[in-house]
Amino acid sequence: MNPFSSGTRLRDMIRAIRACKTAAEERAVVRKECAAIRAAINENDQDYRHRNLAKLMFIHMLGYPTHFGQMECLKLIASTGFPEKRIGYLGLMLLLDERQEVLMLVTNSLKQDLNHSNQYIVGLALCALGNISSAEMARDLAPDVERLLQFRDPNIRKKAALCSIRIIKKVPDLAENFMHPASSLLKEKHHGVLITGVQLCTDLCKVSSEALEYFRENCIEGLVKTLRDIANSPYSPEYDIAGITDPFLHIRLLKLLRILGQGDAGASDCMTDILAQVASRTESNKNAGNAILYECVETIMSIEDNGGLRVLAINILGRFLSNRDNNIRYVGLNMLMKAIMVDAKAVQRHRATILECVKDSDASIQKRALELVYLLVNESNVKPLTKELIEYLEVSNQEFKGDITAKICSLVEKFSPAKIWYIDQMLKVLSEAGNFVKDEVWHALIIVISNASDLHGYTVRALYRVFQASTEQESLVRVAVWCVGEYGDMLVNNVGMLDIEEPITVTESDAVDAMEVAIKCQRLGLTTKAMALIALFKLSSRFPSCSERIKDIIVQNKRSLVLELQQRSIEFSCILQKHHNIRSALVERMPILDEATFTGRKAGSLPTAVSASSIIPCNLPNGIAKPAAAPIGDLLDLSSDDAPPAPVSSGGDFLQDLLGVDLSPASAPSGTSQSPKTGTDVLLDLLSIGTLPPVQSSSSAIDILSSSHDNKAPVANLNGLASHSSLSANATSPASSAGMMDLLNGTGAITQKHEENGPAYPSLVAYESSTLRMTFNFSKQPGNPQTTFIQATFTNLSPNVYNGFLFQAAVPKFLQLHLDPASSNTLPASGNGSITQCLKVTNTQHGKIIRSSIDWKLVGDQSHYPSIILVVFEYFG
């Protein structure tokens, strides 16, 4: 016989497949067997149909496609013999699912088999329907299943109950049809029927509120009686497991009671006694008993309030934590996390046991116990629990340090009773696991230290001691170098000594040594070394005797291969050598940092930009309250978005905030009669623009962007651009400065001059050199403020004639530019004539830039002279 013919026995095929040494050999055997089965299907071989389907089921379990045999299942189901039907239904459940359209063809066969006289065939149909029933099949066959719930044989009733569960899940609307038959199953003596009846009632309660109320009114007493009988029943070898009668039925009954008692005080009172009995009498030395106790505890915690029962339940969970089985301890911790929301005081009694679980060798138990400890902490027990956790942190595994440090830092920040205690605990954490904390942790610590002005000396001394002991924890080193840089003089002079401190002697040279160690330490990162370099720079002002040594250390880093350190060293060296007059102001202590702002940013509730009003004033020289920034600050987007614009004459000091330099009028020498120099003046000097004139002066407001001292100051410098020629923005008529201020969207309350056709604006010399002058005349039409008309006039100041003159302008996409043709393309020499060209710009936004270019040719040698200029406009449309 051909070993791969349809007559091959199943065991021979399995043996051939298992004998394959490679996947390719296995695929070859399966292909040959599938080909033989297809040939038998095509020949309609009825003798070996059941054997072929059995082979297909095995091939399907190996993962190969077997869709071509689906119709064979239907043919076997339609046969009359039980063996054929059994193979057919088994193949139906394995090879098909409820999404297959072929399944609709089997509905009629299922209906016939549900009404069959042979109870075993009825059982086959119920099994198949309970596994692959679709919603359509459930609606068609639900009456037959409901009838079988009252069948004489208990096995059929059990299978009908399980099939009913599938039906009500697929079609919840049919739940009301099964309420009465299901309640009758609760009175069964056969445990198999009873447990399926309880599960059917449980699922009915989940899908139908009517069924829930029905079972509350009619079935609670019967369920309590059944549970009591099972709990008190004598030894029965048929149902006994580890000395407990049918623990599976125990658990199913407790789950149903939990659903019925949840949210109903009357139902909860009915089951209180039996729950107490089960909780107190069930042995916990076997898994079966622990399973019942766990379900009983969950039921007690879910039903309506009963203080005594809940304490009993939490005590059971406490016993779970002492069990040697890790699984039982884990589920105990899980349940305690739910119980703490209901009765936190009862859970607090098991605090010591929970802390022992944190030290468990199992990682899952460690993490779950740590989460539970986190929930247990409050204001009254934060100190002992934090102490226990920090002690364990010292001996914990490396992979667990990250989780435990995060929890400790969160607890200390949330429940800290005093700042000194917060600082002490954070130093302990940083000294033990500083490399495992996130940046936000040491950022928050620095902010707390900054706000604890009476603890500055204590903190810097404590950090210095820890830093001297070890530099392995980088976060600790960062906080230490920051504090030494800010409060190094307090460290040396022992300022603010507390009674709990031990005296320490630190010289200025010792503090500098510590910063040098941080800079040269190879294991520390770039951020830490940069902070140490800044700290040294600050100490240069606080420690005059060590200033030369500090200068040498900074100079050494000018040759660093790390660009960040090199740049900082060069800048600091420049300040130390050339700018002694501003060094002391630059290295003053930082103002007090706002805790509320930092907390809001960390929580994501505040924008990243900090308004000037959010900085807390302090008594330090640069920690004074600053007035609002002048409108010129908006050019750099440094002013607060939510602050109203202040008049220019108020003199914004945003540059002082930026540089930390005291530029107040008080810093001017006494006896001088100069005008106060505000931070805005310094900004204008920084940008090579000049000094901002008062609004009330007759100078043109466009000088804000040009210069009131030097008409050749390039406007292009405002954006850091270089120009081949100097640009001038002088107003032709000082008397018309009010109109120009309006054109540039000035903030002063200035009255415009109005002509008959609209407001008048002064002329603007936009470009001027020794060879060419370009003048702009502006105008607006009444009722159309978004459109500006510009007449450009070009005058040749050189003795040569410019031929082929071309003026070009470009604007961003949000602007609309209309450029009329020029009046001529030849520009006469020596100012004997000019070229005019009109532009119309429509703009709905303010503060934008027009870029323009001018090209011309020199008559004679045809040389080409390009020049790029930048003209700044603001439209107030």
Side-chain angles (χ1 to χ4, degrees):
M1 181 184 292
N2 184 354
F4 296 108
S5 67
S6 61
T8 307
R9 293 180 300 177
L10 176 63
R11 69 181 66 179
D12 296 332
M13 187 194 73
I14 295 174
R15 189 178 293 113
I17 290 176
R18 289 182 176 176
C20 297
K21 297 181 179 180
T22 63
E25 292 181 12
E26 179 184 297
R27 289 195 295 269
V29 172
V30 171
R31 279 199 301 268
K32 291 179 181 178
E33 191 63 47
C34 289
I37 293 173
R38 283 194 186 94
I41 291 174
N42 294 333
E43 295 172 3
N44 198 18
D45 187 355
Q46 299 182 4
D47 296 335
Y48 297 106
R49 179 172 287 157
H50 63 286
R51 181 182 292 179
N52 291 337
L53 187 57
K55 294 178 186 178
L56 283 176
M57 285 188 283
F58 184 80
I59 294 172
H60 173 77
M61 288 187 290
L62 293 178
Y64 295 96
T66 56
H67 56 277
F68 58 87
Q70 291 176 351
M71 293 303 297
E72 294 298 291
C73 299
L74 304 186
K75 293 177 182 178
L76 286 174
I77 290 172
S79 61
T80 57
F82 174 77
E84 289 80 7
K85 283 183 176 291
R86 183 174 63 177
I87 292 294
Y89 277 120
L90 183 59
L92 184 73
M93 290 184 282
L94 281 178
L95 305 183
L96 283 82
D97 56 49
E98 59 181 280
R99 295 169 296 180
Q100 300 287 341
E101 296 182 358
V102 180
L103 199 62
M104 298 182 62
L105 302 176
V106 82
T107 303
N108 190 50
S109 297
L110 280 171
K111 189 174 184 65
Q112 291 178 2
D113 290 341
L114 288 175
N115 294 284
H116 203 279
S117 57
N118 188 340
Q119 66 181 20
Y120 298 106
I121 293 179
V122 175
L124 289 176
L126 287 172
C127 286
L129 186 61
N131 277 282
I132 63 169
S133 171
S134 62
E136 292 79 8
M137 294 175 64
R139 288 191 181 93
D140 294 338
L141 302 175
D144 299 297
V145 176
E146 182 184 348
R147 176 182 53 80
L148 292 173
L149 288 173
Q150 311 298 329
F151 198 78
R152 63 183 183 278
D153 185 74
N155 288 324
I156 297 300
R157 294 202 299 272
K158 179 178 67 175
K159 292 181 180 181
L162 294 173
C163 188
S164 301
I165 295 173
R166 173 87 178 191
I167 291 173
I168 63 173
K169 287 182 177 179
K170 290 296 178 182
V171 188
D173 296 340
L174 298 175
E176 59 179 354
N177 299 336
F178 291 92
M179 289 192 301
H180 299 288
S183 62
S184 64
L185 295 179
L186 300 178
K187 302 173 184 178
E188 287 281 349
K189 298 299 182 183
H190 190 280
H191 282 206
V193 180
L194 181 58
I195 195 171
T196 54
V198 171
Q199 185 61 39
L200 176 57
C201 293
T202 303
D203 288 306
L204 282 171
C205 293
K206 292 179 180 178
V207 300
S208 172
S209 58
E210 296 179 5
L212 178 61
E213 293 300 325
Y214 175 81
F215 290 127
R216 277 176 179 169
E217 295 175 2
N218 301 287
C219 300
I220 286 184
E221 294 182 0
L223 290 170
V224 170
K225 182 179 181 299
T226 303
L227 183 57
R228 183 178 290 109
D229 292 342
I230 296 174
N232 298 328
S233 64
Y235 174 75
S236 175
E238 184 180 0
Y239 303 113
D240 183 82
I241 298 178
I244 298 175
T245 302
D246 204 344
F248 299 102
L249 183 56
H250 266 90
I251 292 173
R252 294 294 180 186
L253 286 169
L254 288 170
K255 285 185 176 180
L256 180 55
L257 289 175
R258 179 169 74 247
I259 294 175
L260 296 177
Q262 193 169 10
D264 190 290
S268 300
D269 291 339
C270 293
M271 61 185 73
T272 300
D273 294 337
I274 186 60
L275 291 176
Q277 179 182 340
V278 172
S280 57
R281 292 188 180 183
T282 304
E283 296 293 333
S284 60
N285 54 355
K286 298 291 184 179
N287 270 346
N290 287 324
I292 294 174
L293 286 174
Y294 177 81
E295 203 64 46
C296 184
V297 168
E298 193 165 3
T299 302
I300 291 172
M301 303 306 297
S302 299
I303 64 175
E304 291 307 296
D305 187 24
N306 189 308
L309 267 183
R310 285 180 176 170
V311 172
L312 176 61
I314 292 173
N315 290 339
I316 292 173
L317 295 177
R319 293 205 306 269
F320 279 6
L321 300 183
S322 303
N323 199 296
R324 290 180 297 178
D325 191 331
N326 286 347
N327 292 327
I328 295 176
R329 279 187 289 171
Y330 187 81
V331 297
L333 291 169
N334 267 343
M335 183 55 66
L336 282 173
M337 292 186 68
K338 299 177 183 177
I340 197 173
M341 305 301 177
V342 180
D343 194 343
K345 290 183 179 179
V347 180
Q348 289 282 359
R349 299 190 186 101
H350 304 279
R351 192 172 62 199
T353 310
I354 297 170
L355 279 171
E356 288 300 319
C357 291
V358 176
K359 304 174 185 177
D360 195 273
S361 58
D362 188 275
S364 299
I365 293 177
Q366 282 182 345
K367 292 183 178 180
R368 188 61 69 192
L370 184 60
E371 292 173 1
L372 182 55
V373 170
Y374 183 77
L375 296 176
L376 283 174
V377 176
N378 53 38
E379 290 82 358
S380 60
N381 60 17
V382 62
K383 289 186 177 181
L385 284 178
T386 303
K387 180 181 178 183
E388 292 280 349
L389 291 175
I390 291 178
E391 289 177 356
Y392 175 64
L393 179 62
E394 300 174 3
V395 297
S396 62
N397 296 328
Q398 294 293 320
E399 60 270 12
F400 192 49
K401 284 184 181 291
D403 290 336
I404 195 169
T405 51
K407 296 294 184 185
I408 293 174
C409 294
S410 179
L411 292 175
V412 171
E413 183 180 357
K414 187 176 181 180
F415 298 106
S416 172
K419 288 187 176 181
I420 186 172
W421 183 84
Y422 173 87
I423 293 172
D424 287 340
Q425 305 311 309
M426 293 304 298
L427 292 187
K428 291 178 182 178
V429 173
L430 292 179
S431 61
E432 293 295 336
N435 293 332
F436 295 91
V437 301
K438 297 181 179 179
D439 289 345
E440 291 82 1
V441 174
W442 63 270
H443 291 171
L445 177 58
I446 286 178
I447 290 176
V448 172
I449 294 172
S450 172
N451 283 269
S453 56
D454 54 337
L455 298 175
H456 287 168
Y458 169 79
T459 304
V460 71
R461 284 187 292 272
L463 283 166
Y464 181 80
R465 290 190 187 96
V466 180
F467 178 81
Q468 290 295 103
S470 174
T471 59
E472 294 181 356
Q473 308 299 333
E474 188 158 4
S475 295
L476 178 69
V477 176
R478 291 178 181 179
V479 179
V481 299
W482 186 88
C483 286
V484 171
E486 294 295 319
Y487 316 117
D489 51 343
M490 294 184 175
L491 173 65
V492 173
N493 299 324
N494 284 330
V495 176
M497 285 288 294
L498 302 180
D499 296 336
I500 60 175
E501 286 188 84
E502 295 181 2
I504 182 174
T505 302
V506 181
T507 64
E508 295 180 354
S509 180
D510 293 336
V512 175
D513 288 341
M515 298 302 99
E516 186 176 10
V517 167
I519 293 175
K520 295 181 178 180
C521 185
Q522 296 298 324
R523 74 171 67 94
L524 298 179
L526 172 61
T527 301
T528 309
K529 293 181 179 181
M531 292 178 67
L533 202 60
I534 295 173
L536 268 180
F537 178 59
K538 290 195 170 189
L539 292 179
S540 66
S541 177
R542 292 165 174 73
F543 299 161
S545 61
C546 297
S547 59
E548 290 300 322
R549 182 186 170 193
I550 292 173
K551 186 185 300 183
D552 293 339
I553 297 173
I554 293 176
V555 170
Q556 291 174 8
N557 284 275
K558 291 170 67 175
R559 296 186 296 273
S560 174
L561 298 179
V562 182
L563 182 60
E564 177 72 17
L565 297 180
Q566 183 187 107
Q567 180 179 350
R568 288 176 186 266
S569 301
I570 293 173
E571 292 170 352
F572 293 163
S573 298
C574 182
I575 294 174
L576 290 174
Q577 294 172 5
K578 301 179 181 179
H579 302 283
H580 297 284
N581 55 334
I582 66 170
R583 184 185 64 175
S584 58
L586 286 175
V587 299
E588 280 291 348
R589 289 177 191 159
M590 291 182 64
I592 295 176
L593 304 174
D594 188 5
E595 289 184 83
T597 302
F598 175 79
T599 305
R601 275 197 215 160
K602 189 166 66 172
S605 60
L606 290 179
T608 54
V610 181
S611 62
S613 61
S614 66
I615 301 178
I616 298 179
C618 64
N619 296 325
L620 301 177
N622 66 330
I624 59 175
K626 307 294 193 300
I632 189 66
D634 290 337
L635 291 171
L636 300 179
D637 196 21
L638 295 176
S639 61
S640 173
D641 292 336
D642 55 357
V648 177
S649 59
S650 63
D653 293 333
F654 63 88
L655 186 64
Q656 299 182 26
D657 287 333
L658 185 65
L659 300 178
V661 182
D662 186 11
L663 300 174
S664 61
S667 62
S670 59
T672 59
S673 59
Q674 63 183 15
S675 60
K677 188 175 183 179
T678 64
T680 306
D681 302 331
V682 178
L683 178 64
L684 297 175
D685 288 339
L686 192 65
L687 299 175
S688 300
I689 296 176
T691 304
L692 176 68
V695 176
Q696 292 81 0
S697 69
S698 60
S699 301
S700 172
I702 194 62
D703 287 340
I704 294 176
L705 301 179
S706 177
S707 173
S708 61
H709 297 313
D710 185 4
N711 291 340
K712 296 299 183 180
V715 178
N717 285 348
L718 186 62
N719 289 298
L721 302 176
S723 176
H724 296 294
S725 302
S726 299
L727 301 180
S728 176
N730 296 331
T732 57
S733 175
S736 60
S737 61
M740 179 58 72
M741 194 64 181
D742 184 83
L743 177 68
L744 295 178
N745 195 23
T747 57
I750 303 176
T751 305
Q752 300 177 353
K753 291 184 179 181
H754 285 74
E755 296 180 352
E756 184 176 354
N757 294 328
Y761 301 102
S763 299
L764 171 67
V765 178
Y767 178 84
E768 184 173 10
S769 66
S770 59
T771 57
L772 181 70
R773 181 193 300 123
M774 179 172 65
T775 305
F776 282 174
N777 295 307
F778 304 94
S779 63
K780 285 180 177 290
Q781 295 295 331
N784 189 15
Q786 297 179 352
T787 301
T788 302
F789 295 91
I790 306 173
Q791 185 181 36
T793 303
F794 306 94
T795 305
N796 184 4
L797 304 179
S798 70
N800 303 313
V801 176
Y802 289 153
N803 190 24
F805 181 86
L806 175 66
F807 173 74
Q808 297 176 335
V811 296
K813 293 182 178 179
F814 56 84
L815 295 177
Q816 296 179 359
L817 173 65
H818 178 75
L819 192 64
D820 293 337
S823 60
S824 174
N825 61 355
T826 301
L827 194 57
S830 303
N832 294 326
S834 61
I835 296 177
T836 60
Q837 189 167 5
C838 294
L839 299 83
K840 183 175 73 171
V841 180
T842 303
N843 184 13
T844 59
Q845 300 187 28
H846 297 162
K848 302 304 175 183
I849 296 175
I850 292 181
R851 297 182 182 274
S852 60
S853 65
I854 302 174
D855 292 343
W856 67 89
K857 295 180 181 179
L858 183 63
V859 175
D861 58 0
Q862 299 297 317
S863 299
H864 190 63
Y865 295 90
S867 176
I868 305 298
I869 68 170
L870 182 66
V871 186
V872 179
F873 295 102
E874 286 198 22
Y875 296 95
F876 67 95

